[in-house]
Amino acid sequence: RPKRKSPDDAAKDGAATKKKKKSKLAYNEYTMDIERFLELLAPIETAGKKIRDKEIWLLIGLTGAGKTTTILKLVGILFKMMEDEYGEDHFEPQELPPELQEFAVGGGSVSVTQSIHAVDITLPCGKTITIVDTPGFGDTKGVEMELANGAGIINALHQSKCVKPFLVMNASTMSERRFQAFSDLMDIVTLMMGPNVDYSAFGYLFTNCSKGKNGSIYKKPAAFLRHNEESMTPQKISFMKDMIEKTKDGAIVVDPSDDEDRNELLTEMAATGSIITNPKQHFVNFA
């Protein structure tokens, strides 16, 4: 008959077993891997040091919106049209220098950017700003990544001098039947900046759209607002109205196929929206 363990021995065995396992934390219906969370948080903290006390332009958008492609275009990278394994066309950089290898570009709905990345850019006026690329949210990479991105991005922004935010949207998803992207994007902004967001600071960038249609982009949010205003929250109504006002005279379109409009794009971005001078007051921890 096996010898029965004393309570002290059983406790020691249990403690030893726990050490062999990765630390886990229940998060709603998920189990979070603490070690993976800390591992993912490390590069974000490094990026935070890179933007400390700097004026930054922050690109916010859903997975696949074109944030990374936009930044590479602003840096001056040239693009080529490629076809993915599904036969869909997308732009890829012709060549990336070593210092920009972290800016990966994907052609689908899965986020390629896994952390925030920052790069300095000199504007046509001679001023230097830092553009920050953020990962796409809600791309099923796990709760560890969602929380690391949420906590890490806000902490990094708190270290910056000031922030000029831009919402990046794929124009092809802007239709009456596919406006869920708008709702998701507004939810992200509310999480990052609290329920009382001042949208006057925001600029709006549109990808996957020809420049010839930049004058009609505002019609899509305007039509959606007319049909759905009664069921929308005040925050989302404010979001829509601000976007309509800033795009009705021509939206800012990011076209990777145009190799010569970089300075024009930078000038347009500098002229729209405003600057958030107290990031700690405007950006809140939502993780």
Side-chain angles (χ1 to χ4, degrees), residues 82-134:
M82 299 290 290
E83 184 178 285
D84 64 19
E85 59 180 319
Y86 300 103
E88 299 290 335
D89 291 334
H90 68 279
F91 288 101
E92 285 191 2
Q94 293 186 18
E95 185 176 358
L96 284 179
E99 65 271 18
L100 294 177
Q101 289 297 321
E102 62 185 8
F103 290 91
V105 176
S109 60
V110 177
S111 178
V112 176
T113 304
Q114 303 299 307
S115 178
I116 62 173
H117 303 300
V119 60
D120 292 339
I121 292 181
T122 301
L123 302 180
C125 65
K127 180 181 181 179
T128 298
I129 54 93
T130 301
I131 297 189
V132 175
D133 183 18
T134 60

Side-chain angles (χ1 to χ4, degrees), residues 127-173:
K127 180 181 181 179
T128 298
I129 54 93
T130 301
I131 297 189
V132 175
D133 183 18
T134 60
F137 288 88
D139 61 357
T140 68
K141 289 294 177 104
V143 66
E144 297 89 357
M145 182 168 289
E146 295 293 327
L147 291 181
N149 287 336
I153 289 171
I154 299 303
N155 182 62
L157 293 176
H158 285 178
Q159 300 179 57
S160 66
K161 177 182 177 181
C162 55
V163 180
K164 187 178 180 72
F166 292 90
L167 297 184
V168 184
M169 287 164 282
N170 185 331
S172 67
T173 66

Side-chain angles (χ1 to χ4, degrees), residues 5 38 190 224 249 278:
K5 293 183 179 180
L38 295 175
T190 301
F224 185 81
D249 293 328
N278 190 344

Side-chain angles (χ1 to χ4, degrees), residues 5 50 56-57 64 81 83 97 124 130 138 152 176 186 225 265:
K5 293 183 179 180
K50 191 172 183 179
I56 69 170
W57 286 6
M81 181 69 76
E83 184 178 285
T130 301
E176 181 69 25
M186 286 182 279
L225 184 61
L265 180 57

Side-chain angles (χ1 to χ4, degrees), residues 171-187:
S172 67
T173 66
M174 296 168 55
S175 68
E176 181 69 25
R177 291 175 294 176
R178 302 177 67 184
F179 248 73
Q180 183 60 40
F182 268 112
S183 181
D184 292 343
L185 187 55
M186 286 182 279
D187 288 340

